[in-house]
Amino acid sequence: MNAVTFRSGFACLVGRPNAGKSTLTNALVGQKVAITSMRPQTTRHTIRGIVHREDAQLVLVDTPGLHRPRTLLGERLNDLVKDTLSEVDVVGFCLPADQQVGPGDKFIAAELEAIASGRHARPVVAIATKADLVGKARLAEHLLHVDALGPWADVVPVSARTAYQVDVLTDVLVSHLPEGPALYPDGELTDEPESVMVAELVREAALEGVRDELPHSLAVVVDEIVPRGTSDREEIPMLDVRVDLFVERDSQKAIVIGKGGARLRDVGTRARREIEALLGARVFLDLHVRVAKDWQRDPKQLGRLGF
């Protein structure tokens, strides 16, 4: 009887901002490893989510949305995506089914066509995300438009929210991986440092229900995560987590803090629940909002904030 061939490798999900990449990453992994938001350009780091199967290990790299950059931050995010594309085994191109194929999708398709057909070609799988939001006729029409955009290895409709065809997409992505051993220990779901994950969870909570201009102006940095002394009677450890939220203007600082500090307290409450689940400990979360004027256009400040 033939042994099962084990495959392992990296898959990168790309698409314009708010195409559902982070939500799809979480659905494929089966647990939250990437922050999600209704606001575009939520993802600022390449989050790796790891899918473990008996026959494969699929390492997902979730990138910022590719877009025409307007700031130095935008240029650096685009460079991050292009660097990632050059190092993976298969690319997933996310195009939301509830939106028309537009100029942004065509811009990305042109970038990916070179990857799909170059001398060191990598397969590109077109993924129609958010398939649960449209009817069958609209979905079929969307798939035809997607298929016509480029030389895709496969075209797969999915819904991360309802899990529609998530397993099919996993099979398709795995089929394009090379044969090889597991790259990460069994049970590990991400290789992101805890401090980066904590910062992302705070930023996700801070982005809920705020004006459209704020996401691009909000950066979050974890100052420290330190254990607090516990008594013999306390079995669950306690951590002090100090976090700085940076915005570009005093008016944005007022938005984040809210009237009488109400919004910031709400952000802290929501973020703390997620952080405690991530770290497996009780958390005292200390949030500070600071102004770093025009940080998106300042190379020194971008470096200090981790970009």
Side-chain angles (χ1 to χ4, degrees):
M1 189 169 148
N2 292 333
V4 175
T5 301
F6 195 90
R7 296 181 181 275
S8 63
F10 294 84
C12 179
L13 298 180
V14 300
R16 58 186 160 89
N18 210 21
K21 301 179 296 295
S22 296
T23 307
L24 183 57
T25 295
N26 293 336
L28 288 162
V29 174
Q31 188 167 318
K32 185 172 190 169
V33 293
I35 74 164
T36 59
S37 170
M38 293 305 290
R39 303 279 179 246
Q41 254 181 275
T42 301
T43 305
R44 293 262 177 82
H45 301 273
T46 53
I47 304 284
R48 285 175 170 81
I50 306 163
V51 182
H52 299 273
R53 302 198 337 178
E54 285 189 8
D55 62 338
Q57 192 178 82
L58 173 67
V59 185
L60 292 160
V61 185
D62 177 40
T63 64
L66 261 174
H67 60 293
R68 295 183 191 278
R70 295 193 303 270
T71 63
L72 181 58
L73 172 64
E75 289 174 21
R76 290 195 179 176
L77 292 177
N78 270 8
D79 289 343
L80 189 66
V81 179
K82 288 171 185 175
D83 289 346
T84 303
L85 291 178
S86 67
E87 298 168 357
V88 300
D89 301 295
V90 57
V91 178
F93 178 19
C94 296
L95 302 103
D98 65 329
Q99 298 169 38
Q100 299 287 344
V101 171
D105 298 311
K106 290 171 184 173
F107 170 76
I108 297 167
E111 300 270 326
L112 294 179
E113 194 160 350
I115 290 164
S117 55
R119 194 156 63 93
H120 303 291
R122 286 170 179 76
V124 177
V125 176
I127 306 167
T129 57
K130 308 184 185 183
D132 60 302
L133 298 181
V134 297
K136 287 182 180 176
R138 172 73 188 93
L139 181 59
E141 182 187 348
H142 182 69
L143 292 172
L144 288 172
H145 289 308
V146 168
D147 190 47
L149 273 181
W152 315 134
D154 298 279
V155 179
V156 184
V158 300
S159 166
R161 195 174 66 85
T162 66
Y164 167 67
Q165 295 227 128
V166 170
D167 54 343
V168 173
L169 176 61
T170 306
D171 289 341
V172 169
L173 293 173
V174 164
S175 73
H176 293 295
L177 299 181
E179 294 181 21
L183 303 168
Y184 291 89
D186 193 34
E188 195 166 311
L189 299 179
T190 182
D191 69 352
E192 278 293 336
E194 283 181 346
S195 60
V196 172
M197 296 287 287
V198 168
E200 291 289 272
L201 289 171
V202 171
R203 200 159 68 89
E204 178 180 43
L207 289 179
E208 283 300 312
V210 296
R211 296 177 199 170
D212 290 344
E213 75 269 14
L214 189 56
H216 308 285
S217 304
L218 182 67
V220 179
V221 177
V222 174
D223 184 36
E224 63 178 2
I225 301 174
V226 292
R228 184 184 287 193
T230 55
S231 69
D232 293 338
R233 286 177 297 175
E234 292 178 302
E235 294 180 5
I236 303 172
M238 181 83 176
L239 299 173
D240 285 316
V241 179
R242 296 184 181 89
V243 179
D244 291 326
L245 293 83
F246 291 92
V247 291
E248 293 188 301
R249 298 188 297 278
D250 286 323
S251 60
Q252 294 169 338
K253 181 176 179 178
I255 292 170
V256 175
I257 293 174
K259 190 173 182 181
R263 245 205 117 255
L264 190 61
R265 283 195 297 274
D266 184 51
V267 168
T269 299
R270 272 184 288 137
R272 191 181 69 248
R273 282 197 295 265
E274 299 271 7
I275 294 166
E276 287 181 337
L278 172 73
L279 301 180
R282 291 178 302 140
V283 165
F284 175 78
L285 183 59
D286 188 15
L287 302 178
H288 294 273
V289 185
R290 308 186 190 282
V291 176
K293 192 170 168 55
D294 294 329
W295 67 261
Q296 291 187 83
R297 293 172 173 79
D298 183 338
K300 279 187 184 172
Q301 294 204 90
L302 278 171
R304 255 201 321 269
L305 297 175
F307 299 107

